[in-house]
Amino acid sequence: MLIKPSAIIRQNYNEIADLCRETKEPVYLTKNGEGDLVVMDIESFVRREKLLKLREELLAVEEDWAAGRAGITPDELEQYLENVISETEYAAT
């Protein structure tokens, strides 16, 4: 986890942007010593959002399965996961 004072974004935007792109990690900005904002490069954000969406969908499928509701076939799931992984890898490049 990278922590920087919020003033750095006003003074050194390019430095923070480069740091986000290089590390692929969010940068936590503080104001008066307390957490204020989180900044990350767009590729990492898109990848994170896709992974969160996949996690939500998998949880819904698991809940359906546990409740005995009909789901999708293993082949359909495999194809879906391959598509999501492919999209996630594409977003990371």
Side-chain angles (χ1 to χ4, degrees):
M1 169 171 47
L2 306 168
I3 302 174
K4 303 284 182 183
S6 62
I8 198 167
I9 196 117
R10 290 187 299 267
Q11 300 163 355
N12 300 314
Y13 176 86
N14 290 334
E15 178 185 329
I16 294 296
D18 290 343
L19 183 62
C20 289
R21 282 190 285 277
E22 289 169 10
T23 64
K24 302 290 185 204
E25 292 185 34
V27 175
Y28 295 81
L29 301 177
T30 61
K31 185 175 183 179
N32 298 324
E34 304 231 354
D36 187 42
L37 299 171
V38 175
V39 211
M40 61 193 323
D41 71 291
I42 194 71
E43 288 179 6
S44 296
F45 175 77
V46 169
R47 184 170 191 265
R48 183 183 194 101
E49 289 299 303
K50 286 182 178 183
L51 288 172
L52 287 172
K53 181 180 178 190
L54 173 61
R55 184 175 181 192
E56 288 175 12
E57 290 173 356
L58 289 174
L59 181 59
V61 168
E62 186 176 317
E63 288 172 350
D64 286 345
W65 179 80
R69 293 186 286 268
I72 61 174
T73 67
D75 289 337
E76 291 171 327
L77 178 60
E78 181 178 359
Q79 182 61 46
Y80 173 76
L81 291 175
E82 286 175 4
N83 290 340
V84 171
I85 290 168
S86 176
E87 288 176 10
T88 302
E89 288 173 349
Y90 176 75
T93 59

